[in-house]
Amino acid sequence: MTTPASPLSVHGDRHFDGLADKFAASLYGGVRGELRLALLDRLLPEMLDLRGQPLLDVGGGLGQLAAWFAGRGHPVTLAEPSAEMLERAREALLEASVGREVTFLQAPLQALPERAAGPWSLIACHAVLEWLGDPRGALATLAGLLAPGGQLSLMVFNRDALRFSNVVKGNLEKALDDRLEGKGLRRRLTPISPLTHTQLMAWSEELGLEVRSVAGVRVFHDYLRKPPESDDDRQRLFELEWRYCRVEPHWRLGRYLLYTLVRPGASPSSTEESPR
C-alpha cells in the first residue's frame, strides 16, 4: 500500500493548500472570528506606533490583516506559502479596493531573508508560528528582518489556553499527558506547535528583542458552554473581552497571545514628527 504524502512542507510546516474554505470557516467564521478581528482593530493602534510604514505581512493567509493595514495607508507586502490562500487574498483585497496597496509574494517564512530582506520597520506575523516545525528558528528569522527600532506584531496560539480548553471539554488524560499538538494530518486544524508565554519571553530575550506589550485575544469566548445568540449578548461578550484582554491574570488564557516586539536601536523614522 502506498503511504500518502505528508501534508507538511520540507521544513516540517503546515501549509493550507486545499483547505482555504475550511480555514476561513474554522478560524474566521462566526463569533470567534468576529471577536478576533474586532479586538485586533482596537489593540493594534494602541500596541504599535503606526505612521504609514511599509509592512511585511508574514503568512498573510486570506488577507484580513493586510486589508486592515492597507486601508490605513500602509504599503503592504503579503507573503504566503500557499498559492490557493494567496489567490484568495488577492481577490478579497481587490474587492475591498485596497489591492493596489499590496504586493503579493508566494514564499514561506524561511525564504524571506532572500525574497523580502528589508530591513523592515514594521512586520506582522499573526497565527503563523504555531503551524511551523521550528517556531523558535522562525522568530530568529523575523528578528533578522527587523530594522533597528523596528516593530514586530506577533500573535501565537496559546498552549496554556489549549490545555485549559481540553480540561473544560473533559479531555483530562490528554491534558495530563500534555498531548496537545496537532499532527498536521488530513483536514484537522489543531496547531502543530502551540506556544507558551514563557517560551516567547525566553526566545525574545535570547534574540535581543524587547517585549513592549502583550494582550490575550479571546480570553473568555472559547470556554463558554454555548456561544452568545443575540446581538446584545455578543456585545456584552466583546466588552468583557476588551476590558480584560490586558489584565492579569485573564490575558494569559487568551486563545491567542498578541505581542509587540521591538529590535533595540534608533527607529528609521525616529527623527520624523509623528502625525497628529
Side-chain angles (χ1 to χ4, degrees):
M1 179 181 295
T2 302
T3 302
S6 170
L8 302 181
S9 76
V10 294
H11 300 289
D13 304 340
R14 180 72 189 271
H15 296 169
F16 293 99
D17 280 309
L19 290 172
D21 288 336
K22 181 176 177 61
F23 184 93
S26 178
L27 300 186
Y28 288 101
V31 176
R32 62 181 175 179
E34 294 173 8
L35 275 173
R36 173 173 166 176
L37 295 176
L39 287 165
L40 288 176
D41 185 55
R42 282 202 188 180
L43 284 167
L44 291 176
E46 294 195 4
M47 294 177 67
L48 295 169
D49 178 16
L50 299 178
R51 289 173 278 177
Q53 311 96 310
L55 169 79
L56 176 63
D57 183 10
V58 179
L62 297 173
Q64 290 93 339
L65 197 62
W68 190 93
F69 279 98
R72 287 156 181 79
H74 296 262
V76 176
T77 297
L78 192 163
E80 166 59 45
S82 165
E84 179 186 13
M85 298 284 279
L86 196 66
E87 185 56 31
R88 292 280 292 270
R90 190 193 312 272
E91 293 171 358
L93 291 169
L94 288 173
E95 186 176 336
S97 301
V98 295
R100 288 177 296 179
E101 304 297 326
V102 181
T103 300
F104 298 90
L105 177 64
Q106 186 180 354
L109 183 148
Q110 294 85 353
L112 295 180
E114 292 76 38
R115 303 285 303 278
W120 295 86
S121 59
L122 184 61
I123 299 175
C125 184
H126 284 199
V128 175
L129 263 59
E130 61 262 28
W131 300 107
L132 306 184
D134 180 14
R136 197 274 182 196
L139 185 59
T141 297
L142 295 172
L145 295 172
L146 278 175
Q151 303 169 92
L152 169 61
S153 180
L154 181 73
M155 189 166 75
V156 301
F157 194 90
N158 183 3
R159 185 184 185 93
D160 293 326
L162 182 59
R163 181 183 297 104
F164 196 82
S165 178
N166 271 281
V167 173
V168 170
K169 294 175 182 176
N171 299 327
L172 305 186
E173 184 175 353
K174 184 176 181 180
L176 281 169
D177 292 343
D178 204 34
R179 292 183 288 106
L180 305 174
E181 301 90 345
K183 302 300 182 184
L185 302 176
R186 300 187 295 278
R187 299 176 63 84
R188 302 291 297 275
L189 289 180
T190 301
I192 64 174
S193 299
L195 300 171
T196 68
H197 177 64
T198 300
Q199 285 177 302
L200 263 297
M201 294 297 290
W203 294 348
S204 297
E205 183 177 2
E206 291 167 6
L207 296 168
L209 296 174
E210 297 178 358
V211 181
R212 290 284 174 87
S213 56
V214 61
V217 175
R218 295 208 322 253
V219 168
F220 300 112
H221 169 273
D222 290 37
Y223 311 113
L224 297 176
R225 292 183 178 179
K226 62 179 183 179
E229 298 177 352
S230 69
D231 290 341
D232 286 345
D233 283 345
R234 283 196 292 271
Q235 183 59 35
R236 292 187 188 98
L237 177 59
F238 175 79
E239 292 303 327
L240 275 169
E241 296 279 0
W242 176 245
R243 181 178 299 179
Y244 292 104
C245 65
R246 284 180 284 183
V247 175
E248 291 276 7
H250 305 287
W251 67 264
R252 293 176 179 272
L253 280 179
R255 192 62 148 188
Y256 294 91
L257 299 177
L258 177 67
Y259 298 86
T260 298
L261 306 177
V262 177
R263 179 180 174 184
S267 169
S269 56
S270 60
T271 60
E272 301 176 7
E273 184 178 352
S274 299
R276 299 185 185 279

